[in-house]
Amino acid sequence: MTMKTYTHILLAISTAFICSCSSFLDVKPKGKVIPKSDEEYLSVLNNMLYQVETYDFGEGTILPGPSELAEFEAISDNLDANLEDYMGDEKSGLPLYQGSQINRRQSMWKNHYEYIRNCNIILEAVQDRDSELSKKMTAACLAIKGICYYNLMRSFCEPYIPETANDTPGLPLVKTFDIEERPQRSSLKETGEYICSLLNKSISMKLESEDYIFTGDVTSAFLAKTLFWMQDWDGVIGICPGLLDKYPLTDRAAYVNMIQELNKKQGEIIVKSYTGGSETNYYYTNAKKAAGRRPINKTFIDLFGDNPEKDIRYQVIVGNRRMNKKKLCGRVRSSEICLMLAEAYAHQGNDSQALKYLNRLRSNRIEDVTPFTSDNLPAIGKRLISENARGVELTPLMSAIFDERRKELFMEGDRWYELKRNGRPQMYVISNTRKYTTYKYLYTFPINRNDVELGGLIQNDGYKY
């Protein structure tokens, strides 16, 4: 049976970008009034920023919320669903694999395009005004819009391969607020270039106020992440050193407090979610409980070697019965920036620079660590990822970079996209005597059903209605 035989039937969810402005009007605090002044448009922007800070409705859009983080770890190989049959009444309730999440992914599509719509409405109204407030709103909305498209590109498009990006379906690019418009999917290359143009324009406006969350530094970090996804290694190397200098890596002594701090942005964190959230929030509590009820995969534990306690990350992550202890917060940290630099240099064949940044991270995480050299890199053991983003068999250096990334960004929503970016390996879970397989096509989520039916969009391979 071929891969495409394993198709999924999607439930209809209300359309995302082909919509009226009624939901936009609903976010206004003083009734359904079309906003006119800068201050009225600011309240719409603040509604989006508020969700980053609190996740009152349990959903994360621009930055992932605790529920999304737990679910993305669950569908990757970081947690071991195979062991849950032996947990009795303490099962997590997390998904077994991506196939059980496809209808939920339609909501992800819808929510992001609603944010894009709101940004378009604000931008069309205020971007040509001269007030300082309108300029700040413009910069923030450009950043939010670019980040939403970045999230959508990673989730709903095939992995970015520069040589084929011009012929690979990208996203519908909704550049203005027009309820009659039915944009079709652009190419993946056009999508990536449009995201970069939005983020670059926001950066050029030099937004510094953290009241708007998406400052120039934050937007630069997302631009680097976008270029990294697009395999623009020169672009990554051009941006990341400056960010790493400005947000130096946190050392072992401060690492625990930084990672386990729920609300404050401290240490090497460039941006984080849930700064106004509470430990007792219903959604946070449930996500934390779920993440602490599915055992961590042994393949992850084995990465820490024979003396795991020397690695501060092991102390933060691994609790009794191999259960997670790490706090669930969406964030971007300079440790990711450091690892991006290491990988970018490795792809360019500059092993000395790649080792420099890899060792910089390890020296801030592992007690009495011996620096890696080209002669003492560990052998490539059994790994789910067997090839890099270029489709080339892993070298010991690239394998070491991937292992450090897996340890560093555990429970931060990264591993699923690492698997997607590097070969989309097939994996499976056995539960209640049934086998649940993550096939290659499941790494790319299905386009919202209504937008396919009403807007005529091309659906991703593997899905039908």
Side-chain angles (χ1 to χ4, degrees), residues 19-27 34 117-118 121 177 179:
C19 59
S20 71
C21 62
S22 59
S23 60
F24 162 71
L25 297 175
D26 288 342
V27 304
I34 297 175
R117 175 205 59 198
N118 287 353
I121 292 172
F177 176 64
I179 62 175

Side-chain angles (χ1 to χ4, degrees), residues 210-277:
E210 294 196 358
D211 290 342
Y212 296 85
I213 300 178
F214 299 96
T215 63
D217 287 346
V218 174
T219 308
S220 293
F222 273 98
L223 177 60
K225 285 164 68 73
T226 302
L227 294 170
F228 184 73
W229 187 261
M230 295 171 64
Q231 299 187 22
D232 183 345
W233 313 125
D234 286 336
V236 171
I237 293 168
I239 296 173
C240 288
L243 287 170
L244 196 54
D245 288 343
K246 194 166 184 179
Y247 299 87
L249 294 177
T250 303
D251 62 20
R252 283 174 49 85
Y255 180 82
V256 177
N257 289 336
M258 175 193 70
I259 288 294
Q260 300 297 62
E261 168 57 48
L262 191 60
N263 301 127
K264 294 179 182 177
K265 181 174 78 72
Q266 59 186 37
E268 67 182 48
I269 295 176
I270 301 171
V271 64
K272 75 179 296 294
S273 64
Y274 215 61
T275 53

Side-chain angles (χ1 to χ4, degrees), residues 106-125:
Q106 293 185 93
S107 295
M108 181 182 181
W109 172 275
K110 174 178 178 290
N111 293 341
H112 278 78
Y113 271 107
E114 286 180 350
Y115 273 49
I116 290 167
R117 175 205 59 198
N118 287 353
C119 287
N120 282 339
I121 292 172
I122 297 170
L123 286 168
E124 289 180 25

Side-chain angles (χ1 to χ4, degrees), residues 67-249:
S67 298
E68 287 84 3
L69 291 172
E71 289 172 0
F72 273 109
E73 296 299 309
I75 63 173
S76 77
D77 61 338
N78 274 346
L79 302 182
D80 194 345
N82 292 294
L83 295 181
E84 276 206 61
D85 284 346
Y86 306 96
M87 295 299 293
D89 295 331
E90 295 185 1
K91 291 186 179 181
S92 68
L94 292 171
L96 289 174
Y97 81 128
Q98 166 55 20
S100 64
Q101 294 287 288
I102 57 172
N103 290 305
R104 176 168 168 74
R105 300 309 175 204
Q106 293 185 93
S107 295
M108 181 182 181
W109 172 275
K110 174 178 178 290
N111 293 341
H112 278 78
Y113 271 107
E114 286 180 350
Y115 273 49
I116 290 167
R117 175 205 59 198
N118 287 353
C119 287
N120 282 339
I121 292 172
I122 297 170
L123 286 168
E124 289 180 25
V126 307
Q127 64 182 342
D128 294 326
R129 298 180 183 179
D130 292 330
S131 70
E132 285 301 310
L133 178 55
S134 65
K135 292 176 183 177
K136 291 176 180 177
M137 285 193 289
T138 297
C141 284
L142 288 168
I144 291 171
K145 186 176 173 182
I147 295 167
C148 283
Y149 274 122
Y150 163 76
N151 292 338
L152 289 166
M153 177 176 68
R154 287 202 307 166
S155 296
F156 294 92
C157 299
E158 298 289 303
Y160 198 104
I161 307 298
E163 292 80 5
T164 59
N166 205 40
D167 299 314
T168 304
L171 297 169
L173 301 179
V174 188
K175 299 182 179 182
T176 60
F177 176 64
D178 182 352
I179 62 175
E180 301 299 327
E181 186 180 12
R182 299 290 187 272
Q184 297 303 300
R185 297 182 69 169
S186 64
S187 72
L188 188 53
K189 181 179 180 181
E190 290 171 328
T191 296
E193 289 175 347
Y194 184 59
I195 295 169
C196 291
S197 71
L198 291 169
L199 298 178
N200 273 314
K201 187 173 181 180
S202 176
I203 293 167
S204 71
M205 301 187 73
K206 303 185 186 305
L207 178 62
E208 296 181 357
S209 173
E210 294 196 358
D211 290 342
Y212 296 85
I213 300 178
F214 299 96
T215 63
D217 287 346
V218 174
T219 308
S220 293
F222 273 98
L223 177 60
K225 285 164 68 73
T226 302
L227 294 170
F228 184 73
W229 187 261
M230 295 171 64
Q231 299 187 22
D232 183 345
W233 313 125
D234 286 336
V236 171
I237 293 168
I239 296 173
C240 288
L243 287 170
L244 196 54
D245 288 343
K246 194 166 184 179
Y247 299 87
L249 294 177

Side-chain angles (χ1 to χ4, degrees), residues 148-426:
C148 283
Y149 274 122
Y150 163 76
N151 292 338
L152 289 166
M153 177 176 68
R154 287 202 307 166
S155 296
F156 294 92
C157 299
E158 298 289 303
Y160 198 104
I161 307 298
E163 292 80 5
T164 59
N166 205 40
D167 299 314
T168 304
L171 297 169
L173 301 179
V174 188
K175 299 182 179 182
T176 60
F177 176 64
D178 182 352
I179 62 175
E180 301 299 327
E181 186 180 12
R182 299 290 187 272
Q184 297 303 300
R185 297 182 69 169
S186 64
S187 72
L188 188 53
K189 181 179 180 181
E190 290 171 328
T191 296
E193 289 175 347
Y194 184 59
I195 295 169
C196 291
S197 71
L198 291 169
L199 298 178
N200 273 314
K201 187 173 181 180
S202 176
I203 293 167
S204 71
M205 301 187 73
K206 303 185 186 305
L207 178 62
E208 296 181 357
S209 173
E210 294 196 358
D211 290 342
Y212 296 85
I213 300 178
F214 299 96
T215 63
D217 287 346
V218 174
T219 308
S220 293
F222 273 98
L223 177 60
K225 285 164 68 73
T226 302
L227 294 170
F228 184 73
W229 187 261
M230 295 171 64
Q231 299 187 22
D232 183 345
W233 313 125
D234 286 336
V236 171
I237 293 168
I239 296 173
C240 288
L243 287 170
L244 196 54
D245 288 343
K246 194 166 184 179
Y247 299 87
L249 294 177
T250 303
D251 62 20
R252 283 174 49 85
Y255 180 82
V256 177
N257 289 336
M258 175 193 70
I259 288 294
Q260 300 297 62
E261 168 57 48
L262 191 60
N263 301 127
K264 294 179 182 177
K265 181 174 78 72
Q266 59 186 37
E268 67 182 48
I269 295 176
I270 301 171
V271 64
K272 75 179 296 294
S273 64
Y274 215 61
T275 53
S278 166
E279 189 88 50
T280 60
N281 177 287
Y282 170 81
Y283 299 105
Y284 182 85
T285 301
N286 282 357
K288 178 183 177 183
K289 187 181 297 184
R293 285 184 171 175
R294 177 171 291 180
I296 298 170
N297 201 315
K298 187 177 183 297
T299 62
F300 177 81
I301 300 292
D302 289 346
L303 296 179
F304 293 95
D306 296 332
N307 297 296
E309 294 292 340
K310 287 192 171 185
D311 194 318
I312 192 66
R313 294 167 296 192
Y314 182 89
Q315 299 177 34
V316 168
I317 293 169
V318 183
N320 294 332
R321 302 169 70 187
R322 271 176 31 200
M323 298 301 183
N324 171 66
K325 300 189 300 181
K326 189 175 180 180
K327 293 286 178 70
L328 300 173
C329 292
R331 49 199 158 199
V332 178
R333 301 188 281 122
S334 53
S335 54
E336 180 181 1
I337 300 298
C338 187
L339 287 164
M340 286 163 55
L341 271 170
E343 183 173 339
Y345 277 118
H347 277 292
Q348 291 189 334
N350 191 337
D351 289 3
S352 62
Q353 284 293 95
L355 285 165
K356 168 188 169 182
Y357 287 105
L358 179 60
N359 285 324
R360 182 184 296 188
L361 176 69
R362 296 178 75 247
S363 67
N364 280 279
R365 300 291 181 263
I366 306 171
E367 182 181 0
D368 299 327
V369 66
T370 300
F372 281 147
T373 68
S374 57
D375 296 324
N376 71 355
L377 285 164
I380 304 172
K382 185 178 180 180
R383 297 286 189 273
L384 188 57
I385 294 176
S386 61
E387 63 184 52
N388 66 23
R390 301 297 299 161
V392 176
E393 186 176 345
L394 290 192
T395 63
L397 174 57
M398 194 68 77
S399 179
I401 293 170
F402 287 173
D403 287 351
E404 289 303 318
R405 183 171 183 125
R406 189 178 179 189
K407 289 190 288 183
E408 186 67 31
L409 300 179
F410 178 83
M411 276 293 162
E412 297 187 30
D414 183 73
R415 179 62 176 175
W416 171 260
Y417 292 102
E418 277 298 282
L419 294 172
K420 177 175 181 175
R421 192 173 65 87
N422 297 290
R424 293 178 287 177
Q426 184 171 299

